[in-house]
């Protein structure tokens, strides 16, 4: 294995002095995987899903639908064929624990709101800190009764569902999790449930519900759903662009690198990181069938306006590494939502990059990275956040010299348990 993982100390020591080369199929998209499982649980019959994300977050969604009465068979693991057999859902025997998964708890809140029984949703310390009133408030407007700390702004959420009425809702924050929760609840509501978005967010819920036969309509910035159910389906999950982004940036910043990443979901609400890397001058090309190629080249700073943030929200940690190594200043404007992710990413990202010698400043909701930095090996904390851990790893791969490490490495299991074996496959010493 390339690099050394110290399991006792949960610390990874990345290699140095190499480059990345080769082709790699990253695991299935995490956002799409959650939705495939929840929709299979709502379909009356047997669905077959191939290539799910094998991270702990998606395993939490699988366990949640099992707790609610669906049968899940995954003899080859989540990346193999997964069969979900579902009928009417039933109350879970105890609270459903989603681990670290914000997408699980928010989408499940919508699903639970539609059920004629009580469901309690909880999670790890990070989940208990994350804002939940973005879903509990509109779900209450639809008629769900929701109890939880701070007037149901925090988990655990106790959701008494059933008898919902459709609403027209414009979420105050751009969030695909909120849109997804309301659309799932809308499958059980009388009348029409409408979500109007001022900034588009990832369209997976509406696209997948429509593909699986539910009554969904999309007109410009307006998504609506009426009471209906997805039919059982067969579905292949495309590769996760948010995981691929780590290799794309690693190739862009490490001299001599050239990587091919096939089979990715590259719709416009998820490919913002490619557009930003292109503006930075990276040698990155995408094809219409989801193949990404990225090679080493010089980078320069760019401005990323607020309207572009939802299309790259999860890629900001790794884009900030590219920005640190580029010439000039990169500003991510209107990035305040990063405070509400698995960690407060404005502060954990600034701390991690500053430890490595980068010049980073947070002013209001703007994250500014001034390059070019000469990154130096150092000990970095993941802050329990998978994307901070993997971004720090790429920064250390590109750093000047050996000796750096990432503490709290285990957090990568959240989304990308195969990260180290994929690094091993691409790394040329
Ligand atoms: C996700 C939406 C985004 C993203 C998260 C996954 C989803 O969160 O950051 O990792 O699958 O809907 P928000 O909905 O909070 O923007």
């Amino acid at each position: 294995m390339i690099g050394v993982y110290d399991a006792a100390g949960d610390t990874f020591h990345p290699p140095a002095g190499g480059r990345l080369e080769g082709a790699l199929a990253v695991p299935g998209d995490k956002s799409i995987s959650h939705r495939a499982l929840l929709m299979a649980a709502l379909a009356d019959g047997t669905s077959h899903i191939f290539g799910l994300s094998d991270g702990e977050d998606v395993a939490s969604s699988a366990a949640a639908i099992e707790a609610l009465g669906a049968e899940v068979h995954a003899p080859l693991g989540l990346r193999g064929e997964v069969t979900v057999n579902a009928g009417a859902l039933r109350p879970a025997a105890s609270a459903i624990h989603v681990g670290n998964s914000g997408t699980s708890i928010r989408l499940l809140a919508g699903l639970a709101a539609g059920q004629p029984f009580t469901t309690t949703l909880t999670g790890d310390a990070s989940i208990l800190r994350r804002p939940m009133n973005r879903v509990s408030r509109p779900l209450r407007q639809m008629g769900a009764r929701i109890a939880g700390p701070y007037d149901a702004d925090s988990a655990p959420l106790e959701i008494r569902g059933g008898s919902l009425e459709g609403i027209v809702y414009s979420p105050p924050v751009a969030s695909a999790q909120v849109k997804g929760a309301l659309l799932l609840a809308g499958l059980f509501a009388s009348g029409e449930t409408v979500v109007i978005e001022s900034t588009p967010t990832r369209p997976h819920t509406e696209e997948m519900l429509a593909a699986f036969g539910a009554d969904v309509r999309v007109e410009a910035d307006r998504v609506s759903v009426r009471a209906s159910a997805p039919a059982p389906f067969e579905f292949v999950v495309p590769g996760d662009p948010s995981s691929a982004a780590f290799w794309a940036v690693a190739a862009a910043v490490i001299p001599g690198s050239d990587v091919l990443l096939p089979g990715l979901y590259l719709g416009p609400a998820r490919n913002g990181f490619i557009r930003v890397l292109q503006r930075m001058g990276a040698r990155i090309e995408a094809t219409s069938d989801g193949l990404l190629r990225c090679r080493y080249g010089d980078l320069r700073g760019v401005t990323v306006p607020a309207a572009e943030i939802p299309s790259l929200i999860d890629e900001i940690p790794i884009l900030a590494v590219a920005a640190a190594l580029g010439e000039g200043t990169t500003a991510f404007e209107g990035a305040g939502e990063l405070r509400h992710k698995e960690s407060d990413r404005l502060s954990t990202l600034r701390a991690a990059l500053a430890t490595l010698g980068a010049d980073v400043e947070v002013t209001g909701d703007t994250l500014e990275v001034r390059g070019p930095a000469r990154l130096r090996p150092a000990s970095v904390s993941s802050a329990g956040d998978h994307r901070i851990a993997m971004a720090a790893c790429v920064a250390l791969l590109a750093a000047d010299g050996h000796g750096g490490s990432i503490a709290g490495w285990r957090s990568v299991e959240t989304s990308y348990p195969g990260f180290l074996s994929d690094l091993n496959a691409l790394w040329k010493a």
Side-chain angles (χ1 to χ4, degrees):
M1 176 57 82
I2 296 292
V4 176
Y5 177 57
D6 160 18
D10 188 23
T11 299
F12 179 57
H13 304 261
R19 65 196 162 84
L20 286 100
E21 191 179 79
L24 179 82
V26 298
D29 184 68
K30 182 158 80 71
S31 291
I32 294 175
S33 295
H34 287 294
R35 289 161 172 85
L37 286 166
L38 267 57
M39 289 178 200
L42 297 176
D44 187 10
T46 304
S47 297
H48 302 270
I49 312 170
F50 301 84
L52 285 165
S53 159
D54 55 354
E56 285 178 347
D57 273 13
V58 169
S60 292
S61 280
I65 63 166
E66 277 188 307
L68 292 166
E71 288 169 23
V72 181
H73 299 285
L76 300 176
L78 291 173
R79 289 182 80 169
E81 177 177 3
V82 175
T83 305
V84 180
N85 197 2
L89 297 179
R90 55 171 162 69
S94 55
I96 292 177
H97 200 292
V98 301
N100 191 240
S101 179
T103 307
S104 300
I105 195 165
R106 297 207 180 101
L107 293 183
L108 283 164
L111 184 151
Q115 311 306 312
F117 50 76
T118 300
T119 304
T120 301
L121 302 172
T122 191
D124 70 5
S126 151
I127 284 293
L128 300 187
R129 281 194 300 269
R130 295 179 69 178
M132 293 298 148
N133 67 15
R134 54 185 62 195
V135 287
S136 46
R137 195 176 294 148
L139 291 172
R140 279 173 165 172
Q141 281 177 30
M142 293 178 76
R145 279 170 294 171
I146 307 184
Y150 308 104
D151 198 23
D153 187 22
S154 296
L157 298 176
E158 189 190 85
I159 302 174
R160 278 200 277 165
S163 307
L164 303 184
E165 273 175 39
I167 56 170
V168 178
Y169 193 71
S170 302
V173 287
S175 167
Q177 293 174 352
V178 172
K179 173 175 59 175
L182 298 191
L183 295 178
L184 291 175
L187 295 174
F188 300 92
S190 61
E192 200 179 29
T193 301
V194 182
V195 180
I196 299 170
E197 291 191 301
S198 51
T199 308
T201 64
R202 60 194 71 193
H204 307 312
T205 310
E206 55 271 34
E207 286 183 0
M208 293 170 71
L209 281 175
F212 302 156
D215 190 355
V216 179
R217 285 171 60 173
V218 180
E219 290 151 305
D221 58 354
R222 184 181 192 277
V223 186
S224 57
V225 64
R226 286 182 181 277
S228 54
F233 55 84
E234 281 198 10
F235 183 70
V236 181
V237 180
D240 195 330
S242 301
S243 298
F246 294 104
W247 307 125
V249 170
V253 299
I254 298 172
S257 296
D258 186 352
V259 299
L260 272 181
L261 303 155
L264 303 174
Y265 177 92
L266 291 181
R270 297 290 299 281
N271 67 7
F273 76 97
I274 301 174
R275 283 181 268 121
V276 167
L277 285 171
Q278 281 168 340
R279 294 209 299 277
M280 294 177 92
R283 296 166 71 202
I284 184 167
E285 300 134 43
T287 64
S288 58
D289 56 353
L291 175 72
L292 197 58
R293 181 179 190 189
C294 196
R295 284 173 276 182
Y296 172 73
D298 289 338
L299 302 180
R300 58 179 174 269
V302 297
T303 295
V304 182
E308 210 171 5
I309 296 291
S311 72
L312 46 73
I313 183 77
D314 294 338
E315 289 70 67
I316 292 175
I318 189 61
L319 286 173
V321 172
L325 292 160
E327 178 81 40
T329 298
T330 295
F332 299 93
E333 297 175 347
E337 266 297 297
L338 291 182
R339 294 196 174 89
H340 308 300
K341 296 298 176 185
E342 287 83 331
S343 66
D344 169 354
R345 284 187 182 155
L346 284 181
S347 95
T348 55
L349 186 56
R350 182 172 47 77
L353 287 175
T355 304
L356 295 167
D359 182 359
V360 189
E361 203 181 333
V362 177
T363 314
D365 287 345
T366 299
L367 173 73
E368 207 169 85
V369 185
R370 298 185 203 107
R374 197 161 155 194
L375 297 181
R376 54 170 185 255
S379 301
V380 186
S381 167
S382 73
D385 184 329
H386 56 133
R387 298 202 197 278
I388 299 294
M390 292 184 280
C393 178
V394 172
L396 285 171
L397 294 175
D400 251 355
H402 291 253
S405 63
I406 303 121
W409 180 254
R410 207 197 157 279
S411 58
V412 302
E413 301 284 325
T414 295
S415 64
Y416 201 168
F419 183 89
L420 288 189
S421 57
D422 285 354
L423 170 60
N424 204 30
L426 290 175
W427 188 254
K428 305 289 176 274

